[in-house]
Amino acid sequence: MTLHVVVLGAAAGGGLPQWNCGCSNCNDARTGRLRPRSQSSIAVSSDRQNWVILNASPDLRDQLARTPALHPTGPRQMPLASVVLTNGDIDHVAGLLCLRERQAFALYATSAIHDILSRNPVFDVLDATLVPRVPVAGGVPFAPAPGLSATLIPVPGKVPLYLERGAVETALIGEQTVGVLVEAGGKRLYYIPGCAMMTDDLRARLQGADLVLFDGTLWSDDEMIRAGLGQKTGRRMGHMPISGPDGTLAAFDGIDVGRKVFVHLNNTNPVWRDDGPERAEVEAAGWIVGDDGTEITL
Ligand code: MLT
Ligand code: MN
Ligand code: ZN
Protein backbone atom coordinates (compact mmCIF):
# COMPACT_ATOMS: atom_id res chain seq x y z
CA MET A 1 0.00 0.00 0.00
CA THR A 2 1.22 3.44 -0.90
CA LEU A 3 -0.21 6.92 -0.81
CA HIS A 4 -0.59 8.79 -4.09
CA VAL A 5 -1.48 12.48 -4.05
CA VAL A 6 -2.36 14.73 -6.96
CA VAL A 7 -2.79 18.45 -6.35
CA LEU A 8 -5.82 19.26 -8.50
CA GLY A 9 -5.72 22.97 -7.66
CA ALA A 10 -3.05 24.83 -5.71
CA ALA A 11 -4.66 28.27 -5.53
CA ALA A 12 -6.96 29.69 -2.85
CA GLY A 13 -10.52 30.88 -3.45
CA GLY A 14 -10.66 33.03 -6.58
CA GLY A 15 -7.77 31.21 -8.26
CA LEU A 16 -4.97 32.82 -10.26
CA PRO A 17 -6.03 35.04 -11.95
CA GLN A 18 -9.06 35.99 -9.86
CA TRP A 19 -11.77 37.39 -12.14
CA ASN A 20 -11.90 40.87 -10.63
CA CYS A 21 -8.29 41.27 -9.49
CA GLY A 22 -5.80 43.58 -11.16
CA CYS A 23 -2.84 42.76 -8.89
CA SER A 24 0.50 42.13 -10.62
CA ASN A 25 0.27 38.34 -10.25
CA CYS A 26 -3.25 38.23 -11.71
CA ASN A 27 -2.30 40.55 -14.57
CA ASP A 28 0.75 38.40 -15.34
CA ALA A 29 -1.39 35.25 -15.25
CA ARG A 30 -3.67 36.85 -17.86
CA THR A 31 -0.80 37.68 -20.20
CA GLY A 32 1.11 34.41 -19.89
CA ARG A 33 3.96 35.65 -17.71
CA LEU A 34 2.68 33.48 -14.84
CA ARG A 35 0.87 30.16 -15.25
CA PRO A 36 -2.80 30.29 -14.16
CA ARG A 37 -3.64 28.08 -11.16
CA SER A 38 -7.00 26.62 -10.21
CA GLN A 39 -8.77 26.49 -6.86
CA SER A 40 -8.10 24.42 -3.80
CA SER A 41 -8.39 20.61 -4.07
CA ILE A 42 -6.32 17.44 -3.92
CA ALA A 43 -7.01 13.78 -4.81
CA VAL A 44 -5.57 10.82 -2.86
CA SER A 45 -5.47 7.09 -3.59
CA SER A 46 -3.66 4.02 -2.30
CA ASP A 47 -4.09 1.97 -5.49
CA ARG A 48 -4.57 4.58 -8.26
CA GLN A 49 -7.96 2.91 -8.91
CA ASN A 50 -10.09 4.41 -6.16
CA TRP A 51 -9.71 8.07 -5.30
CA VAL A 52 -10.92 10.43 -2.63
CA ILE A 53 -11.15 14.10 -3.54
CA LEU A 54 -10.40 16.42 -0.64
CA ASN A 55 -12.44 19.59 -1.21
CA ALA A 56 -14.55 20.14 -4.31
CA SER A 57 -13.50 23.41 -5.92
CA PRO A 58 -15.52 25.38 -8.46
CA ASP A 59 -12.78 24.37 -10.97
CA LEU A 60 -13.37 20.65 -10.42
CA ARG A 61 -14.76 20.00 -13.89
CA ASP A 62 -11.55 21.16 -15.58
CA GLN A 63 -9.38 19.58 -12.91
CA LEU A 64 -10.96 16.16 -13.57
CA ALA A 65 -10.67 16.58 -17.33
CA ARG A 66 -6.92 17.15 -17.12
CA THR A 67 -6.20 14.37 -14.60
CA PRO A 68 -6.12 10.98 -16.43
CA ALA A 69 -6.25 9.00 -13.16
CA LEU A 70 -9.70 10.48 -12.56
CA HIS A 71 -11.17 9.85 -16.00
CA PRO A 72 -14.19 7.54 -16.39
CA THR A 73 -13.35 3.84 -16.48
CA GLY A 74 -16.63 2.79 -18.15
CA PRO A 75 -19.72 4.27 -19.78
CA ARG A 76 -20.86 5.80 -16.46
CA GLN A 77 -18.14 4.71 -14.09
CA MET A 78 -15.76 6.90 -12.17
CA PRO A 79 -12.76 5.91 -10.04
CA LEU A 80 -14.14 8.25 -7.37
CA ALA A 81 -15.00 6.72 -4.00
CA SER A 82 -15.72 9.85 -1.98
CA VAL A 83 -15.33 13.55 -1.35
CA VAL A 84 -14.15 14.92 1.99
CA LEU A 85 -14.69 18.57 2.97
CA THR A 86 -12.43 20.58 5.29
CA ASN A 87 -14.80 23.53 5.67
CA GLY A 88 -17.87 25.12 4.09
CA ASP A 89 -16.07 27.79 2.05
CA ILE A 90 -17.21 28.35 -1.53
CA ASP A 91 -13.84 27.25 -2.92
CA HIS A 92 -14.27 23.89 -1.16
CA VAL A 93 -17.94 23.08 -1.70
CA ALA A 94 -19.12 24.73 -4.92
CA GLY A 95 -17.52 21.93 -6.98
CA LEU A 96 -20.04 19.48 -5.52
CA LEU A 97 -22.44 20.95 -8.06
CA CYS A 98 -20.11 19.72 -10.84
CA LEU A 99 -20.56 16.15 -9.56
CA ARG A 100 -24.31 16.01 -10.10
CA GLU A 101 -24.74 13.65 -13.06
CA ARG A 102 -26.16 10.73 -11.09
CA GLN A 103 -22.77 9.54 -9.91
CA ALA A 104 -22.38 7.50 -6.73
CA PHE A 105 -19.83 8.61 -4.14
CA ALA A 106 -19.86 9.22 -0.40
CA LEU A 107 -19.65 12.73 1.03
CA TYR A 108 -17.77 13.03 4.32
CA ALA A 109 -17.68 16.13 6.52
CA THR A 110 -18.36 17.22 10.08
CA SER A 111 -22.02 17.57 11.12
CA ALA A 112 -21.64 21.37 11.15
CA ILE A 113 -20.55 21.40 7.51
CA HIS A 114 -23.30 18.94 6.52
CA ASP A 115 -25.78 21.30 8.23
CA ILE A 116 -24.60 24.17 6.04
CA LEU A 117 -25.07 22.04 2.91
CA SER A 118 -28.51 20.90 4.11
CA ARG A 119 -29.62 24.51 4.50
CA ASN A 120 -28.76 25.13 0.83
CA PRO A 121 -31.30 23.21 -1.28
CA VAL A 122 -29.17 23.60 -4.42
CA PHE A 123 -26.98 20.77 -3.06
CA ASP A 124 -30.02 18.46 -3.11
CA VAL A 125 -29.17 18.06 -6.79
CA LEU A 126 -26.86 15.33 -5.45
CA ASP A 127 -29.32 12.46 -5.20
CA ALA A 128 -29.22 11.17 -1.61
CA THR A 129 -29.66 7.58 -2.78
CA LEU A 130 -26.39 7.84 -4.70
CA VAL A 131 -24.50 10.36 -2.58
CA PRO A 132 -24.84 9.49 1.12
CA ARG A 133 -23.85 12.37 3.37
CA VAL A 134 -21.79 10.87 6.14
CA PRO A 135 -21.14 12.96 9.26
CA VAL A 136 -17.80 12.25 10.86
CA ALA A 137 -16.53 13.52 14.17
CA GLY A 138 -13.02 14.87 14.63
CA GLY A 139 -10.50 12.22 15.67
CA VAL A 140 -12.58 9.25 14.51
CA PRO A 141 -11.02 7.31 11.60
CA PHE A 142 -13.09 6.35 8.54
CA ALA A 143 -12.34 4.73 5.17
CA PRO A 144 -12.79 7.27 2.34
CA ALA A 145 -11.62 4.77 -0.30
CA PRO A 146 -10.37 1.18 -0.30
CA GLY A 147 -6.98 0.97 1.38
CA LEU A 148 -7.16 4.44 2.92
CA SER A 149 -7.90 5.61 6.43
CA ALA A 150 -8.80 9.24 7.05
CA THR A 151 -9.30 11.26 10.23
CA LEU A 152 -10.63 14.79 10.51
CA ILE A 153 -8.46 16.97 12.73
CA PRO A 154 -10.07 20.19 14.05
CA VAL A 155 -7.76 23.17 13.47
CA PRO A 156 -8.21 26.89 14.27
CA GLY A 157 -10.50 28.56 11.76
CA LYS A 158 -13.81 30.36 11.36
CA VAL A 159 -17.25 29.97 9.84
CA PRO A 160 -17.48 30.49 6.06
CA LEU A 161 -17.47 34.09 4.88
CA TYR A 162 -21.14 33.92 3.82
CA LEU A 163 -22.15 32.91 7.38
CA GLU A 164 -20.24 35.65 9.16
CA ARG A 165 -22.55 37.77 11.35
CA GLY A 166 -21.35 40.42 13.79
CA ALA A 167 -18.11 39.74 15.64
CA VAL A 168 -16.31 36.74 14.18
CA GLU A 169 -14.18 34.32 16.17
CA THR A 170 -11.33 33.69 13.71
CA ALA A 171 -9.53 30.84 15.47
CA LEU A 172 -12.35 28.57 16.63
CA ILE A 173 -11.38 24.94 17.14
CA GLY A 174 -14.37 22.71 16.49
CA GLU A 175 -16.31 21.52 13.49
CA GLN A 176 -16.02 24.53 11.18
CA THR A 177 -12.47 23.97 9.99
CA VAL A 178 -10.59 20.68 9.92
CA GLY A 179 -7.45 19.23 8.46
CA VAL A 180 -7.41 15.65 7.22
CA LEU A 181 -4.97 12.92 8.19
CA VAL A 182 -4.82 10.26 5.46
CA GLU A 183 -2.98 7.01 6.11
CA ALA A 184 -2.05 3.92 4.10
CA GLY A 185 0.68 1.34 4.49
CA GLY A 186 2.16 3.09 7.50
CA LYS A 187 2.50 6.40 5.63
CA ARG A 188 0.85 9.54 6.98
CA LEU A 189 -0.12 12.70 5.15
CA TYR A 190 -1.89 15.77 6.48
CA TYR A 191 -3.95 18.07 4.27
CA ILE A 192 -4.61 21.42 6.01
CA PRO A 193 -5.61 24.09 3.46
CA GLY A 194 -6.90 26.50 6.12
CA CYS A 195 -5.33 27.10 9.52
CA ALA A 196 -5.52 30.33 11.53
CA MET A 197 -2.63 29.47 13.86
CA MET A 198 -0.32 26.70 14.97
CA THR A 199 -1.25 25.00 18.25
CA ASP A 200 0.71 22.67 20.49
CA ASP A 201 -1.72 19.88 19.65
CA LEU A 202 -1.28 20.32 15.90
CA ARG A 203 2.48 20.59 16.24
CA ALA A 204 2.57 17.27 18.12
CA ARG A 205 0.35 15.56 15.56
CA LEU A 206 2.41 16.72 12.58
CA GLN A 207 5.63 15.45 14.11
CA GLY A 208 7.02 12.64 11.95
CA ALA A 209 4.42 12.91 9.17
CA ASP A 210 5.60 11.82 5.73
CA LEU A 211 3.89 14.71 3.96
CA VAL A 212 2.09 17.88 5.00
CA LEU A 213 0.10 19.99 2.52
CA PHE A 214 -0.48 23.23 4.41
CA ASP A 215 -2.24 26.60 4.18
CA GLY A 216 -0.04 28.89 2.07
CA THR A 217 -2.71 31.55 1.49
CA LEU A 218 -0.66 34.67 2.18
CA TRP A 219 3.02 35.49 2.43
CA SER A 220 2.40 38.31 4.93
CA ASP A 221 -0.60 38.98 7.13
CA ASP A 222 -1.27 42.45 5.68
CA GLU A 223 -0.52 41.60 2.03
CA MET A 224 -4.01 42.35 0.74
CA ILE A 225 -4.25 45.65 2.64
CA ARG A 226 -0.85 46.86 1.43
CA ALA A 227 -1.73 45.98 -2.16
CA GLY A 228 -4.93 48.04 -1.88
CA LEU A 229 -7.07 44.94 -2.48
CA GLY A 230 -9.06 44.78 0.74
CA GLN A 231 -9.31 45.62 4.41
CA LYS A 232 -8.68 42.21 5.91
CA THR A 233 -5.58 40.61 7.32
CA GLY A 234 -4.89 36.95 6.64
CA ARG A 235 -5.66 36.08 10.25
CA ARG A 236 -9.03 37.78 9.97
CA MET A 237 -9.68 35.46 7.02
CA GLY A 238 -8.66 32.44 9.13
CA HIS A 239 -5.25 31.95 7.55
CA MET A 240 -1.84 32.26 9.21
CA PRO A 241 0.78 33.93 7.02
CA ILE A 242 3.86 32.11 5.70
CA SER A 243 6.38 34.71 6.88
CA GLY A 244 6.96 36.53 10.15
CA PRO A 245 7.50 35.47 13.75
CA ASP A 246 4.10 33.70 14.05
CA GLY A 247 4.11 32.54 10.46
CA THR A 248 4.19 29.05 9.05
CA LEU A 249 7.92 28.88 8.30
CA ALA A 250 8.65 29.72 11.93
CA ALA A 251 5.88 27.46 13.26
CA PHE A 252 7.29 24.42 11.45
CA ASP A 253 10.77 25.00 12.82
CA GLY A 254 11.49 21.88 14.85
CA ILE A 255 8.66 19.81 13.37
CA ASP A 256 10.13 16.79 11.64
CA VAL A 257 8.13 16.26 8.41
CA GLY A 258 9.23 14.31 5.33
CA ARG A 259 7.85 16.72 2.73
CA LYS A 260 6.12 20.09 3.15
CA VAL A 261 3.98 21.57 0.39
CA PHE A 262 2.11 24.88 0.37
CA VAL A 263 -1.41 24.71 -1.05
CA HIS A 264 -4.37 27.14 -1.08
CA LEU A 265 -2.15 30.04 -2.21
CA ASN A 266 -3.88 33.35 -2.76
CA ASN A 267 -3.32 35.08 -6.08
CA THR A 268 -1.46 37.93 -4.32
CA ASN A 269 1.16 35.60 -2.85
CA PRO A 270 4.69 36.51 -4.05
CA VAL A 271 5.87 32.88 -3.77
CA TRP A 272 4.05 32.17 -7.07
CA ARG A 273 7.03 33.83 -8.76
CA ASP A 274 9.79 31.30 -9.48
CA ASP A 275 12.54 33.89 -9.37
CA GLY A 276 11.55 35.97 -6.34
CA PRO A 277 13.23 36.17 -2.92
CA GLU A 278 10.11 34.79 -1.19
CA ARG A 279 10.23 31.60 -3.29
CA ALA A 280 13.91 31.22 -2.46
CA GLU A 281 13.14 31.66 1.24
CA VAL A 282 10.41 29.00 1.39
CA GLU A 283 12.54 26.56 -0.60
CA ALA A 284 15.52 27.19 1.68
CA ALA A 285 13.22 26.26 4.59
CA GLY A 286 12.43 22.96 2.85
CA TRP A 287 9.02 23.82 1.42
CA ILE A 288 7.66 23.07 -2.03
CA VAL A 289 5.21 25.55 -3.56
CA GLY A 290 2.35 23.32 -4.68
CA ASP A 291 1.20 23.57 -8.27
CA ASP A 292 -1.75 22.30 -10.27
CA GLY A 293 -0.74 18.76 -11.23
CA THR A 294 1.91 18.27 -8.53
CA GLU A 295 2.05 14.50 -7.88
CA ILE A 296 3.64 12.86 -4.86
CA THR A 297 3.85 9.15 -4.08
CA LEU A 298 4.81 8.02 -0.59
C1 MLT B 1 -10.92 31.47 2.44
O1 MLT B 1 -10.19 30.48 2.33
O2 MLT B 1 -10.59 32.41 3.17
C2 MLT B 1 -12.20 31.48 1.71
O3 MLT B 1 -12.18 30.58 0.66
C3 MLT B 1 -12.59 32.85 1.27
C4 MLT B 1 -13.78 32.84 0.36
O4 MLT B 1 -14.83 32.27 0.68
O5 MLT B 1 -13.67 33.42 -0.73
MN1 MN C 1 -10.43 29.15 0.72
ZN1 ZN D 1 -4.78 39.19 -7.84
Side-chain angles (χ1 to χ4, degrees):
M1 285 289 179
T2 48
L3 268 177
H4 306 287
V5 185
V6 181
V7 176
L8 297 178
L16 173 68
Q18 176 175 311
W19 73 284
N20 64 343
C21 189
C23 79
S24 56
N25 281 352
C26 286
N27 286 338
D28 282 354
R30 287 187 192 93
T31 54
R33 281 191 289 269
L34 266 183
R35 233 164 337 105
R37 266 72 165 209
S38 66
Q39 295 168 80
S40 180
S41 178
I42 68 168
V44 181
S45 176
S46 73
D47 56 10
R48 294 185 195 268
Q49 320 262 319
N50 299 280
W51 292 83
V52 48
I53 290 178
L54 305 180
N55 289 326
S57 102
D59 299 321
L60 189 53
R61 179 180 167 279
D62 290 332
Q63 292 168 343
L64 292 174
R66 62 173 180 249
T67 308
L70 283 157
H71 288 175
T73 51
R76 272 296 167 92
Q77 242 169 320
M78 280 293 290
L80 175 65
S82 68
V83 174
V84 177
L85 304 176
T86 64
N87 63 20
D89 286 352
I90 302 285
D91 55 344
H92 290 160
V93 304
L96 291 171
L97 303 177
C98 304
L99 302 177
R100 69 187 176 280
E101 326 285 357
R102 292 199 58 77
Q103 185 63 51
F105 63 92
L107 180 57
Y108 295 101
T110 64
S111 295
I113 301 306
H114 279 301
D115 286 347
I116 293 171
L117 299 180
S118 304
R119 296 210 301 272
N120 284 273
V122 68
F123 292 106
D124 293 346
V125 73
L126 298 173
D127 183 338
T129 62
L130 293 169
V131 183
R133 298 186 187 188
V134 189
V136 272
V140 180
F142 60 99
L148 292 179
S149 169
T151 310
L152 304 185
I153 310 294
V155 298
K158 64 170 185 62
V159 296
L161 183 59
Y162 56 84
L163 292 178
E164 290 186 7
R165 307 282 185 274
V168 174
E169 163 82 81
T170 56
L172 278 173
I173 299 181
E175 292 206 335
Q176 291 296 334
T177 308
V178 298
V180 188
L181 162 65
V182 187
E183 299 172 277
K187 302 287 187 186
R188 286 196 300 144
L189 80 81
Y190 283 88
Y191 171 61
I192 307 174
C195 186
M197 59 186 235
M198 181 58 74
T199 64
D200 290 343
D201 173 64
L202 186 55
R203 171 181 288 275
R205 282 181 187 281
L206 296 175
Q207 202 62 253
D210 298 283
L211 170 65
V212 176
L213 300 119
F214 198 81
D215 185 345
T217 308
L218 298 183
W219 169 257
S220 52
D221 198 38
D222 62 352
E223 175 175 315
M224 311 256 317
I225 299 169
R226 276 191 293 114
L229 298 166
Q231 304 303 315
K232 287 183 189 169
T233 62
R235 287 199 178 80
R236 172 61 186 79
M237 295 187 290
H239 299 288
M240 60 194 284
I242 292 177
S243 67
D246 299 320
T248 305
L249 296 184
F252 272 75
D253 199 18
I255 306 181
D256 174 30
V257 170
R259 270 182 270 193
K260 298 178 286 192
V261 180
F262 282 121
V263 291
H264 193 278
L265 292 108
N266 195 54
N267 53 73
T268 50
N269 198 319
V271 301
W272 282 129
R273 296 183 178 271
D274 297 341
D275 52 0
E278 296 87 358
R279 172 69 72 92
E281 191 173 334
V282 298
E283 289 182 350
W287 286 82
I288 296 165
V289 173
D291 205 342
D292 289 22
T294 296
E295 283 193 42
I296 296 173
T297 295
L298 299 172

